[in-house]
Amino acid sequence: MALIALAADKGSPGVTTAAVALAAIWPRRVLLAETDPAGGDLVYRSAAAHGGQLDPNLGLLSIAATARRGLAPDQLWDHAQALAGGLDVLVGLGGAEQAAGLSGTWPLLGRAFAQLQDSPHAPADVIADCGRVSGDSPVLDLLPHAALVLLLARTTPESLARVRDRASHLARRLHGERRGAAQLGTPLIGVVLVAETGGAGKLVHQLDEMLHATQSGARVVGTLAEDESGAEQLAGRRRGRLDKSLLVRSARKVSADIQQRYGTLWATAPGPGQGAGGPVAPVQGAAPFAQGGSAPVPPQAAGQPHAAGPQPAPGGHPAPAPGGSAPGSAPGAPR
């Protein structure tokens, strides 16, 4: 499946929270990448696996210093850190001022993300938190290498109108002026609504009709629960059964819908930046917190049996230790 890019047009619909939630329940090993040119949040809100703080200089900033000589997919792991619980993350920039250091690097980064699934040593999908992609954001140069671009939006009328227009703009930028069936080429464009549970069905239908009218090929993928309590648990600032939260339950549904809707296409048609053999065929249905050693919550919090110690995961990667916690306890509100 390779690279899944999450982004927003305007405002703060919760792109970082959505990216962490999807990475937490992804059915295969995954690398969470903070690629927002305005700067990342995880270094402020999340704890490292060793219990201390994440290193702000190890991640996109350190990649910028080395990628000018090229960037092989496996090199990404040299710049990754583990959150408490085991989720691998590429820490984002400290602020917009540092984005100039990545000038010209975004396409290389996108290509490495897309090809990481084909690594013979440590294959993984990449979920990228791209922040806002309006205007001339440099992260737009990363998107052509994605398998799927997910735009997040809230349910206000202005948000729905903006995400419709942003989807249409991205389709023209990424696919040219093609319409209809031609839009099956990657990257595909999907929309995830952030909404209170129980009242989004009608809005999903309305937005799908709006998107269809633009002939952009974009479609609503699903709905992510607007769950402040779940977001606090995910950030490690509140205790509770994270696997029972509305946020995680809705993220599981979105992940499973992604696999079901796009899995066959990705399994048969390689996209830009992907290997000649095409993407790895996805697992149908999202597992309740991935067993590849990347779930940012302890096994008992995810409803799994309490293990006596770190257990090897099916892919050969160490699973989170049973004493782990949700990703982070540092202050900072979800974006």
Side-chain angles (χ1 to χ4, degrees):
M1 189 175 298
L3 172 59
I4 311 296
L6 274 68
D9 177 77
K10 187 178 180 181
S12 301
V15 177
T16 298
T17 296
V20 175
L22 284 174
I25 51 79
W26 205 246
R28 290 177 300 280
R29 189 179 187 186
V30 67
L31 175 63
L32 174 63
E34 286 192 296
T35 58
D36 186 347
D41 287 347
L42 291 180
V43 72
Y44 303 111
R45 73 165 75 171
S46 302
H50 53 66
Q53 294 184 334
L54 293 167
D55 183 353
N57 297 313
L58 182 62
L60 247 62
L61 195 61
S62 57
I63 285 177
T66 61
R68 299 186 187 282
R69 298 188 295 272
L71 182 63
D74 280 332
Q75 286 181 279
L76 295 169
W77 297 116
D78 297 335
H79 305 271
Q81 303 179 64
L83 297 182
L87 179 62
D88 294 311
V89 60
L90 279 179
V91 169
L93 302 173
E97 297 78 12
Q98 295 180 344
L102 267 75
S103 178
T105 307
W106 297 101
L108 288 176
L109 201 58
R111 189 176 301 112
F113 286 163
Q115 294 175 347
L116 188 60
Q117 65 165 357
D118 297 320
S119 164
H121 306 294
D125 294 333
V126 176
I127 293 179
D129 168 10
C130 298
R132 300 175 189 173
V133 293
S134 55
D136 56 353
S137 171
V139 80
L140 287 168
D141 291 333
L142 179 149
L143 299 186
H145 299 277
L148 174 65
V149 177
L150 287 179
L151 296 173
L152 267 72
R154 296 194 181 274
T155 56
T156 62
E158 59 270 26
S159 294
L160 298 180
R162 284 186 176 278
V163 78
R164 173 201 61 194
D165 295 343
R166 180 55 52 193
S168 183
H169 173 80
L170 281 178
R172 290 194 300 271
R173 181 186 178 101
L174 298 172
H175 305 144
E177 296 299 326
R178 293 176 294 170
R179 292 291 184 267
Q183 296 285 29
L184 292 177
T186 55
L188 301 167
I189 301 174
V191 175
V192 173
L193 285 181
V194 180
E196 295 182 359
T197 57
K202 184 177 180 181
L203 288 174
V204 166
H205 179 70
Q206 290 176 346
L207 181 56
D208 248 342
E209 289 187 336
M210 293 165 61
L211 293 170
H212 180 72
T214 67
Q215 299 185 39
S216 64
R219 293 292 181 268
V220 178
V221 172
T223 303
L224 200 64
E226 187 169 5
D227 178 14
E228 183 177 350
S229 174
E232 291 288 308
Q233 292 176 35
L234 191 66
R237 294 190 292 267
R238 177 179 296 190
R239 294 183 179 276
R241 289 293 302 272
L242 182 56
D243 64 310
K244 300 295 184 181
S245 69
L246 293 175
L247 174 62
V248 167
R249 287 159 58 189
S250 62
R252 281 201 193 102
K253 177 77 164 58
V254 170
S255 176
D257 288 346
I258 289 173
Q259 316 293 327
Q260 184 176 14
R261 179 175 299 208
Y262 303 116
T264 301
L265 177 64
W266 285 331
T268 57
Q274 296 170 348
V280 176
V283 177
Q284 294 301 317
F289 294 93
Q291 298 179 11
S294 60
V297 292
Q300 61 270 30
Q304 299 171 357
H306 188 97
Q311 302 296 314
H317 309 294
S325 60
S329 56
R335 189 164 71 230

